[in-house]
Amino acid sequence: MIVRRVDAHRPTALLGGLADLLTDVVAGGASVGFLAPLDREHALAWWRARLRAVAAGEPAVWVAHEGGRVCGTVSLALPDKPNSRHRAELVRLMVSPAVRGRGVGRRLLSAAEESAAGAGLTLLHLDTETGSPAEHLYRSAGWTEAGTIPGYAADPGGALRPTTLYYKRIGVPSARG
């Protein structure tokens, strides 16, 4: 498996694979902001807009490839306010249902964390559906739970679900607290 940051000069080469990944994870029940069924045209349109933003320098996106196929992705959204330039939000960590449990999510998470620390960021935060398999990944990777918000977002089936907020200090001597 190879994890690479999306190059701002050639992001459209990944478009089809990213759209397929998005439709697969939504069909598999992942709460990443979309309702099921998500058709490929809507996934393509969403990723086209996202990749235009990547080409403009925001957000940072990593893609995992295995056997020439996109099998995962994660993004870091950087704030634009002067008082928050020390932090970023980890968004849409997606792993293909076909490769879950094989370390793809952990590799993507590590790539984003290492890049953020290398850029001088000291704090990352995220939200994830409460009770989702992703919570185990974040906890085991040293993320700290900050709280839960009930009825935060609809899952792919349309039911309102709670979300749990997490944070992680990076690039500082104490990685917790």
Side-chain angles (χ1 to χ4, degrees), residues 13-146:
L14 300 168
L15 184 61
L18 289 167
D20 292 341
L21 173 67
L22 180 56
T23 58
D24 286 349
V25 299
V26 171
S31 183
V32 291
F34 298 90
L35 298 175
L38 176 64
D39 66 62
R40 192 165 195 270
E41 280 308 308
H42 283 97
L44 283 166
W46 186 83
W47 271 111
R48 274 189 202 100
R50 179 69 48 184
L51 293 175
R52 279 193 299 273
V54 168
E58 169 62 25
V61 176
W62 289 263
V63 175
H65 303 265
E66 187 172 77
R69 188 166 186 220
V70 171
C71 62
T73 185
V74 69
S75 301
L76 277 181
L78 302 169
D80 59 356
K81 298 173 189 73
N83 73 340
S84 58
R85 296 216 170 116
H86 64 288
R87 64 179 164 87
E89 181 179 10
L90 188 98
V91 292
R92 289 190 183 78
L93 175 60
M94 294 184 262
V95 175
S96 170
V99 298
R100 286 195 185 135
R102 293 179 29 202
V104 175
R106 185 162 306 276
R107 292 271 309 273
L108 286 162
L109 187 58
S110 292
E113 289 174 1
E114 290 168 16
S115 179
L121 300 177
T122 58
L123 181 67
L124 297 177
H125 63 97
L126 63 85
D127 70 84
T128 192
E129 183 180 326
T130 304
S132 71
E135 283 195 292
H136 173 74
L137 170 63
Y138 299 131
R139 286 185 185 126
S140 69
W143 287 70
T144 302
E145 182 177 332

